[in-house]
Amino acid sequence: MYPDVVDLRSFYAQPLGVVARRLVGRAVRQRFDNVRGLSVLGIGYATPYLGVFREECERALAFMPAAQGVTRWPSRAPTLAALVDESELPLPAASIDRVIAVHLLEYTPDAAEVLREVWRVLAPGGRLLCVVPNRRGVWARVDNTPFGHGRPYSRSQITALLREALFTPVGWGEALYVPPVARTWFLRSAVAWERVGGVLAPLFAGVHIVEATKQVYRPVAVKRRARIRVLAPVLEPVLAPQPAGG
């Protein structure tokens, strides 16, 4: 079940949400470090992470699921956000170069179907970046953030899901090692938590950030036919009977 878009917007306006946006946004930017001349699509509630791309990319769009609701984005320019059915995106095939999925796969009823639709709209060689809660992390165990609702994933689970939808994971990152404590004095140490957590406890990050590329051709298993050896009967040589009187 999707959270309400008002609750998502409220979270990112709070100090804890500001820190989460900064830490996750840094990891997202490291993966998509150059989008000049490319089209970028954010699905779910990705607008907190799209702003850094808007002036650089050729075009940026924000699609928000109908069950979640939509807010205006950007706030002081012509809107680039739309309310959509996430399993039927209003885009032609192979029309988008980069997709960022945030607050999406853990909430949608059919993540595999949504990923297949993302595959359809991605251009050949396009890249998908998924931000999903880590089932081992603290953020997935508390409910005061959007990352604590829906279905969290392990690395193996999100890998299997992507491969089922014909995506190949090509890069991994993690973020949100800082515990989700909404105290201003505690959040001042968030950067230190990220540095220490990335070295000492990489498995317990709050979110996985996985980059995947679109497979253009569906892999087909090749079955080798067993060789069948046919044995011909061997006849013993015999003397031919001689005609009478010979």
Side-chain angles (χ1 to χ4, degrees):
M1 180 177 179
Y2 281 98
D4 191 275
V5 70
V6 175
D7 296 332
L8 291 167
R9 183 177 59 182
S10 176
F11 167 74
Y12 280 104
Q14 299 170 9
L16 183 60
V18 172
V19 170
R21 178 174 57 186
R22 185 170 73 246
L23 298 178
V24 175
R26 180 188 303 171
V28 169
R29 185 58 174 172
Q30 287 176 351
R31 289 291 165 189
F32 286 175
D33 58 346
N34 182 12
V35 297
R36 190 171 304 279
L38 302 179
S39 54
V40 179
L41 170 65
I43 309 180
Y45 190 76
T47 52
Y49 309 101
L50 286 178
V52 295
F53 302 111
R54 191 163 61 90
E55 298 300 328
E56 179 183 343
C57 65
E58 185 267 334
R59 59 172 172 163
L61 300 172
F63 285 176
M64 302 187 189
Q68 168 191 289
V70 64
T71 58
R72 182 183 177 86
W73 181 83
S75 58
R76 298 182 180 180
T79 185
L80 300 172
L83 191 69
V84 302
D85 180 347
E86 67 272 26
S87 61
E88 295 183 6
L89 301 179
L91 291 171
S95 59
I96 297 294
D97 300 302
R98 299 290 185 268
V99 173
I100 302 173
V102 187
H103 302 304
L104 176 69
L105 298 182
E106 65 267 34
Y107 292 119
T108 184
D110 193 339
E113 182 182 7
V114 171
L115 285 175
R116 285 192 291 269
E117 182 65 1
V118 171
W119 187 96
R120 183 187 67 83
V121 302
L122 265 178
R127 298 294 180 100
L128 165 66
L129 195 66
C130 298
V131 179
V132 295
N134 176 13
R135 65 181 304 176
R136 292 186 177 182
V138 178
W139 287 70
R141 302 174 186 273
V142 295
D143 58 3
N144 63 331
T145 81
F147 299 103
H149 300 268
R151 177 189 175 184
Y153 290 87
S154 65
R155 270 202 178 196
S156 60
Q157 288 173 332
I158 190 63
T159 298
L161 183 64
L162 287 168
R163 287 178 175 169
E164 180 185 352
L166 300 183
F167 284 98
T168 300
V170 294
W172 288 90
E174 280 78 29
L176 299 184
Y177 293 97
V178 58
V181 178
R183 302 285 184 179
T184 303
W185 60 269
F186 182 81
L187 293 176
R188 293 180 185 141
S189 62
V191 175
W193 277 95
E194 293 295 297
R195 291 174 180 171
V196 174
V199 175
L200 300 181
L203 296 178
F204 299 98
V207 295
H208 294 302
I209 301 171
V210 54
E211 181 182 359
T213 184
K214 174 180 178 177
Q215 295 180 20
V216 179
Y217 299 102
R218 181 185 295 272
V220 178
V222 177
K223 296 182 179 180
R224 294 184 177 180
R225 294 183 178 180
R227 293 183 177 179
I228 301 176
R229 186 173 297 175
V230 179
L231 299 179
V234 177
L235 301 178
E236 295 182 1
V238 296
L239 295 175
Q242 294 295 325

